[in-house]
Amino acid sequence: MSTYSEIKELPEKYRKYRDLIIKLFKQYNISSTSSLIKIYKNNSKFKNEWKRIWVEVSAEEGGKLSLTTIGIIIGSALGSVGIATMGSAIGVPLALILGLGGFLSGTKIDSLKIFSENKKITISLPRELYEKIDLDSKVAEQSMSKLLELIIEEAYK
């Protein structure tokens, strides 16, 4: 999926979770970021509901939460209930900033595969060696990356 497509679908995709958080804010009379923090620290029922929502979001996302997802949902929820931050209600711009910032940060983190079981390496090869590996990968009907992975695994057995 392209970056543009992913950004375009985010608000619609997470609307139900934003609405659940807004409902939770209203249920517990949360009207500021400080009241959110205070209730989270002191109210186990709220904390459990808060966690349940994020577990549900995570399950829909295949078991992971991105910074984009969190930023979009929290930013839009804060703005929708009119929570003032630093003297002004900035929910919509906050959703955009958190969402875009989270998206860019998350994309970079994902590209580095920091949390992946498989790590990526980059090497430079002489053209002659590259062409031999390329030919062998075509004969073996494997991608060049997969062929190299198999060769390295075999060498370290």
Side-chain angles (χ1 to χ4, degrees):
M1 177 183 298
S2 73
T3 302
Y4 174 75
S5 300
E6 194 167 338
I7 289 173
K8 191 172 127 182
E9 82 172 40
L10 284 174
E12 184 65 34
K13 185 176 182 180
Y14 300 114
R15 184 169 286 149
K16 72 179 183 178
Y17 300 111
R18 180 206 59 200
D19 293 345
L20 286 171
I21 290 176
I22 290 169
K23 182 179 174 185
L24 193 63
F25 286 171
K26 289 179 178 178
Q27 180 182 346
Y28 287 90
N29 297 317
I30 295 172
S31 59
S32 67
T33 51
S34 60
S35 64
L36 170 61
I37 293 166
K38 183 178 179 183
I39 288 174
Y40 182 83
K41 285 182 178 180
N42 300 315
N43 189 319
S44 61
K45 188 176 177 185
F46 172 83
K47 188 183 261 187
N48 290 336
E49 281 294 306
W50 180 261
K51 286 180 184 178
R52 183 191 59 76
I53 292 169
W54 291 109
V55 167
E56 192 176 318
V57 175
S58 174
E60 186 167 305
E61 289 296 297
K64 68 175 189 170
L65 285 174
S66 70
L67 297 173
T68 308
T69 304
I70 295 166
I72 288 288
I73 294 170
I74 291 178
S76 61
L78 290 173
S80 295
V81 295
I83 290 181
T85 306
M86 291 183 264
S88 64
I90 59 166
V92 174
L94 185 62
L96 293 173
I97 291 167
L98 290 177
L100 184 56
F103 180 79
L104 295 174
S105 301
T107 302
K108 182 62 177 174
I109 290 169
D110 286 347
S111 74
L112 296 173
K113 298 189 183 276
I114 291 170
F115 301 110
S116 173
E117 288 296 314
N118 295 323
K119 302 299 181 192
K120 187 175 187 173
I121 62 168
T122 304
I123 60 170
S124 296
L125 299 171
R127 178 181 290 273
E128 184 180 309
L129 182 55
Y130 176 87
E131 289 171 353
K132 287 179 181 180
I133 295 169
D134 185 40
L135 181 62
D136 287 346
S137 71
K138 288 175 182 163
V139 170
E141 297 180 347
Q142 295 280 341
S143 70
M144 197 182 272
S145 294
K146 186 62 179 173
L147 179 61
L148 287 170
E149 182 182 337
L150 292 170
I151 291 169
I152 294 168
E153 281 179 358
E154 190 64 32
Y156 281 93
K157 279 187 178 180

